[in-house]
């Protein structure tokens, strides 16, 4: 799907995003109307602060965010 521009409808089938013709779409190229990345980030931060999560878990989430940024452009993570 990397060479396609614009909106291409996809659906989740058997745990994989696919176009109507059955072509697999990488998860990191799929946009949904669920919750924005900013809202998810805020929720993660609030939960970790409220429950006093250990530094190891906080570091793991920080690393996860860094890994996502290597896959996705930074603009996609700050919707």
């Amino acid at each position: 799907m990397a060479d396609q521009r614009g909106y291409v409808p996809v659906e989740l089938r058997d745990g994989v995003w696919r176009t109507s013709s059955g072509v697999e779409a990488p998860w990191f190229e799929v946009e949904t109307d669920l919750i924005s990345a900013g809202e998810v980030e805020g929720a993660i931060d609030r939960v970790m602060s409220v429950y006093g999560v250990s530094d190891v878990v906080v570091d793991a989430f920080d690393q996860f965010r860094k890994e996502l940024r290597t896959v996705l452009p930074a603009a996609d993570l700050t919707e």
Side-chain angles (χ1 to χ4, degrees):
M1 284 189 60
D3 60 334
Q4 295 178 340
R5 303 262 187 238
Y7 175 76
V8 177
V10 294
E11 64 181 30
L12 189 61
R13 285 188 242 150
D14 301 321
V16 177
W17 290 102
R18 297 186 188 279
T19 65
S20 58
S21 61
V23 176
E24 185 174 330
W27 65 269
F28 52 85
E29 291 183 3
V30 174
E31 293 184 24
T32 68
D33 61 352
L34 298 176
I35 298 173
S36 73
E39 289 180 64
V40 172
E41 290 281 334
I44 289 170
D45 290 340
R46 286 189 300 278
V47 168
M48 288 195 299
S49 68
V50 167
Y51 287 98
V53 176
S54 74
D55 290 342
V56 173
V57 174
V58 173
D59 291 345
F61 273 94
D62 287 342
Q63 184 61 38
F64 177 70
R65 290 177 180 127
K66 288 176 189 174
E67 293 294 325
L68 279 179
R69 286 184 182 98
T70 63
V71 174
L72 301 172
D76 290 347
L77 296 174
T78 59
E79 294 176 4

